[in-house]
Amino acid sequence: MTASVGEERSGSGFTHVVATARPPLFFGLRLATAVCLALFAAFYLQLDTPYWAGTSAAIVCQPVVGASLFKGVFRLVGTLVGAVAAVVLTAVFPQDRFGFLFGMLVWAAACSFVSTLLKNFASYGALLAGYTLIIIANNSIPDPDHIFFIAINRTSEISIGIVSGTLVIALTDIGDSPQRLQMLLSQLIEEIAQHFEGILADPWNATAPETRRILVKRISALVPVVDQAAGESAEIMQRRAILRVALDGLYTAISGARVVETHLRALSQAEAHRVVAAISDMLPPDWSRGLARDRNAEAALVRKFMAVKTNDASLRLAADASAEVASGLESAANGLALLCDPAHARDIFRIPSIVVADYLPALVNAVRVFIGVGAVVIFWIISQWPDGLFAVTFAAVTIMLFAPVLDGSAKAALGLVIGTLFTAVFAGVLKFTALINHETFLAFSLILSIALIPFGALSALPSFAPYFIAATINFVPLVAPTNVMVFDPQVYLNTAFSLLAGCAAGAVTLMLIPQPSPNTRAQRLVDLSIRDLRRLAAGRRPWTLMQWQGRMYSRLAALPPDCEPVQRSRLAATLTVGVQVIRLRHLAMDRRTAAEVSDILAALAAGNLPRLQYGLAELDKEIASIPDEQSGMRGRMRARAMLLAISEAVERQGDYFGSQPS
């Protein structure tokens, strides 16, 4: 019996190992197939440097199908833009090498700047536009008269790699990103609803802020999953604005929950319990465990909260903030409906916009590229290094590829150098032992697969990814396959040394020119937000409610994970006050509310807290003195609730709202 139990455990352990190893190995097999397909097409067309086709296929391949499809599309666009830029730059500086090189550095720096501002796969397209020009320059600088044909050849090679990688991934995996997004979105809706119920159950719970921090981090992590799902479904691609609004809805729900928590903590226990009882009575039974994911149920809940009739500003504020929670979850539930049953999802018109949380990281990355690549260019010119342009190419690739990784980019680049060093040794041994006696493409493909399959499998594992992603990218250019293979150890050593030198130069640049520390970046986001709030209050920036929320949501998402809790709290308070300012300004246009808010907004814009608090109290008294029988009572109560929300947020963060940005 003991033996049978041992055999059972052994069998289950082996099954677990096989189940764990299968996805990485399958990805390695797909990677090898994509690279070999790209090389076959490039060999068949007799292109000059077929290894760029194989390298492109390796870069495009991703373990997630949607990621590969989107990455392929943006890589193709970026390649075309970079090729056009190379031709134009050569035409502008036909006989001026200095002008061409300076323009190349400016273009690469500009592409790195744009890449940092953009997100996900659009960011990758900007990167490709940058170093495609440098790849073309690798051949065009010695022969500028043939720049047009060189650009066509490089573009053709890269495009073949893109198509090959995308095709292999798409045909061998149907993808599960929509199902994964559905599960994650459903979990977040339920957990945010539970978080709100937890606030009502115990407003003074010390773990609530940490729970919100984790929820915000998880919402931010959904952005690339949305793009992956769109890459796998034409329906989601066409209607992905619904999912964008759904993510904003999750942020809105968390913001509303925070307003309720702030207000309840400002009340006495008896008052807080009275308000909580009124709000809890309106929530359906088992709301967080089912109805929170029902769009129609959330819409009904919004109407119920908004329809509350009361002359109590405290209850009005809690009801309006609770309606914000339900409204945000309604938007999220509509996104969930798109994933579960697209026919029942409600279409949303939304003008696409790019919101930049902070320009400083993008500027730092642009400087990194300009200085780092420029230093290698200067060394190449002074030393007259024959393979210097190859080093320039990989210095640019290293810096531009890892610079957008704000924290740990130098460490990632160092992993690239280590992985490239290992790959150079392995590729050299393979090329001069196994490849030298084989001439058929089948044998050639099988030998390459000996390296590519394990490299791809290990690159899919988080622990080995920093080293073996470099191996998958740099293996093909190190082997340098051509129609007529060259087996010259001296040429190989020069190529390997140039590639390693370029990667090392990129890593050194990233270490010598670091990004600002996480705390500095977080403080900048806080300072930029209070500056924007004062501009909003002064009327210098007429942002709409949606624009203000999008601006603040982007900054909440951009906060480094290890920022101080007070910085996150200040951003959330700025979001709340800005929302109330916009709503109050619109409400003040209705003469029946009798809300003259110009003095209050002027005090907020100036950071004059005593004047602000006095103005808030006086205006509240003025509105409260109007008889309930006079028309506009509901609007006046909402105005009083907004004044109360601003007062509580400012009182809780008085040193922040009264200070000047650092």
Side-chain angles (χ1 to χ4, degrees):
M1 183 174 179
T2 304
S4 63
V5 171
E7 291 174 2
E8 184 178 345
R9 289 178 177 175
S10 176
S12 62
F14 177 75
T15 304
H16 175 72
V17 170
V18 171
T20 304
R22 186 188 305 162
L25 285 173
F26 188 49
F27 170 67
L29 181 61
R30 288 186 296 181
L31 173 71
T33 304
V35 170
C36 292
L37 177 62
L39 289 173
F40 176 81
F43 284 150
Y44 182 79
L45 296 174
Q46 297 186 352
L47 297 175
D48 296 337
T49 50
Y51 59 81
W52 284 121
T55 304
S56 299
I59 293 175
V60 168
C61 281
Q62 293 286 296
V64 181
V65 177
S68 288
L69 298 177
F70 250 43
K71 197 172 187 178
V73 170
F74 281 108
R75 182 176 170 86
L76 187 60
V77 172
T79 299
L80 293 174
V81 171
V84 171
V87 174
V88 171
L89 198 60
T90 304
V92 173
F93 302 103
Q95 300 298 327
D96 184 357
R97 178 173 291 187
F98 174 80
F100 179 87
L101 290 173
F102 183 79
M104 180 185 77
L105 292 176
V106 170
W107 173 262
C111 289
S112 181
F113 178 84
V114 173
S115 167
T116 308
L117 297 183
L118 298 177
K119 297 178 181 178
N120 303 322
F121 307 114
S123 170
Y124 191 74
L127 285 182
L128 260 295
Y131 53 73
T132 293
L133 184 148
I134 299 177
I135 290 172
I136 293 173
N138 193 12
N139 297 104
S140 68
I141 288 178
D143 189 12
D145 294 336
H146 296 89
I147 176 62
F148 184 73
F149 299 103
I150 293 171
I152 289 177
N153 283 338
R154 294 299 87 75
T155 304
S156 300
E157 291 158 1
I158 295 172
S159 299
I160 287 171
I162 294 168
V163 173
S164 299
T166 305
L167 185 65
V168 168
I169 294 293
L171 292 178
T172 55
D173 193 346
I174 59 174
D176 65 346
S177 293
Q179 293 79 11
R180 189 157 51 93
L181 178 60
Q182 176 186 337
M183 179 189 68
L184 294 173
L185 185 57
S186 177
Q187 288 175 349
L188 276 169
I189 292 172
E190 182 175 338
E191 290 178 30
I192 291 173
Q194 290 173 352
H195 172 61
F196 182 60
E197 288 183 334
I199 289 173
L200 296 179
D202 182 8
W204 297 274
N205 189 337
T207 63
E210 177 63 17
T211 301
R212 277 196 299 274
R213 186 190 71 80
I214 295 172
L215 289 172
V216 168
K217 183 178 179 181
R218 288 172 57 192
I219 296 170
S220 302
L222 284 185
V223 175
V225 186
V226 169
D227 285 344
Q228 292 164 9
E232 295 175 14
S233 168
E235 179 86 28
I236 296 175
M237 171 69 78
Q238 184 180 2
R239 306 171 72 187
R240 64 185 180 276
I242 296 175
L243 294 175
R244 303 292 187 197
V245 173
L247 299 191
D248 285 353
L250 295 175
Y251 284 121
T252 301
I254 290 177
S255 175
R258 184 185 182 279
V259 172
V260 173
E261 180 192 57
T262 300
H263 177 57
L264 293 177
R265 289 186 175 189
L267 300 175
S268 64
Q269 283 200 355
E271 277 294 300
H273 289 152
R274 181 182 64 82
V275 173
V276 165
I279 298 299
S280 299
D281 287 345
M282 286 183 273
L283 290 176
D286 295 330
W287 171 62
S288 64
R289 287 180 289 277
L291 289 178
R293 293 188 289 269
D294 187 327
R295 184 188 65 204
N296 295 329
E298 290 302 320
L301 191 57
V302 172
R303 292 191 294 269
K304 184 185 292 187
F305 283 129
M306 296 298 290
V308 171
K309 294 181 180 180
T310 179
N311 58 0
D312 179 1
S314 180
L315 180 57
R316 180 72 271 162
L317 171 58
D320 287 349
S322 300
E324 195 171 342
V325 174
S327 176
L329 294 182
E330 178 190 359
S331 298
N334 190 48
L336 189 61
L338 174 64
L339 299 170
C340 299
D341 187 0
H344 288 84
R346 189 167 51 236
D347 283 318
I348 296 172
F349 175 74
R350 186 180 187 183
I351 300 174
S353 61
I354 298 175
V355 180
V356 179
D358 185 6
Y359 285 96
L360 180 61
L363 286 171
V364 172
N365 285 340
V367 170
R368 285 168 145 182
V369 171
F370 189 87
I371 293 178
V373 179
V376 180
V377 168
I378 292 172
F379 179 79
W380 163 62
I381 293 173
I382 294 175
S383 65
Q384 298 183 351
W385 185 8
D387 293 312
L389 280 173
F390 204 62
V392 170
T393 300
F394 279 89
V397 170
T398 301
I399 299 172
M400 295 178 72
L401 192 61
F402 291 104
V405 184
L406 299 183
D407 297 320
S409 58
K411 183 178 179 181
L414 186 61
L416 175 68
V417 173
I418 295 172
T420 302
L421 179 61
F422 166 77
T423 308
V425 175
F426 189 90
V429 171
L430 196 70
K431 180 172 183 176
F432 291 101
T433 57
L435 285 178
I436 198 167
N437 294 319
H438 295 86
E439 298 182 358
T440 66
F441 184 79
L442 178 60
F444 173 77
S445 299
L446 292 174
I447 293 170
L448 288 187
S449 298
I450 292 173
L452 289 172
I453 291 176
F455 285 175
L458 291 170
S459 72
L461 301 175
S463 301
F464 297 98
Y467 311 105
F468 285 94
I469 287 177
T472 61
I473 294 173
N474 294 328
F475 176 74
V476 177
L478 282 167
V479 175
T482 54
N483 277 297
V484 179
M485 290 289 291
V486 177
F487 296 97
D488 186 337
Q490 187 64 39
V491 171
Y492 179 81
L493 288 175
N494 288 338
T495 300
F497 180 74
S498 300
L499 196 153
L500 276 167
C503 292
V508 169
T509 300
L510 293 174
M511 287 188 286
L512 294 180
I513 310 178
Q515 279 285 350
S517 66
N519 185 64
T520 301
R521 295 204 311 273
Q523 188 58 45
R524 273 188 55 84
L525 293 172
V526 171
D527 290 344
L528 290 170
S529 298
I530 190 64
R531 184 197 65 180
D532 285 347
L533 178 64
R534 288 170 176 165
R535 289 177 174 177
L536 176 68
R540 296 197 300 270
R541 289 291 188 274
W543 286 302
T544 64
L545 180 62
M546 184 178 296
Q547 288 172 335
W548 175 255
Q549 288 175 324
R551 197 172 193 82
M552 297 308 300
Y553 293 159
S554 70
R555 288 184 178 148
L556 281 169
L559 277 174
D562 53 351
C563 71
E564 296 179 11
V566 67
Q567 293 170 325
R568 195 177 301 275
S569 179
R570 287 175 173 176
L571 267 187
T574 308
L575 166 64
T576 298
V577 173
V579 167
Q580 303 305 331
V581 164
I582 293 170
R583 289 174 173 167
L584 192 60
R585 186 173 272 150
H586 284 294
L587 198 57
M589 296 178 183
D590 186 351
R591 294 180 181 273
R592 295 176 300 173
T593 62
E596 177 53 52
V597 299
S598 57
D599 289 344
I600 293 173
L601 297 183
L604 178 61
N608 189 337
L609 296 194
R611 179 183 162 198
L612 173 62
Q613 292 288 21
Y614 176 79
L616 290 169
E618 287 300 309
L619 183 56
D620 182 68
K621 291 178 183 178
E622 182 182 340
I623 296 175
S625 66
I626 301 174
D628 293 346
E629 294 77 16
Q630 186 171 326
S631 62
M633 191 270 284
R634 181 172 296 183
R636 290 194 297 273
M637 287 306 305
R638 288 217 156 83
R640 292 186 64 195
M642 294 171 193
L643 295 174
L644 182 57
I646 294 174
S647 176
E648 290 176 348
V650 170
E651 184 176 356
R652 189 171 182 179
Q653 300 284 349
D655 57 337
Y656 167 59
F657 285 102
S659 65
Q660 295 298 321
S662 59

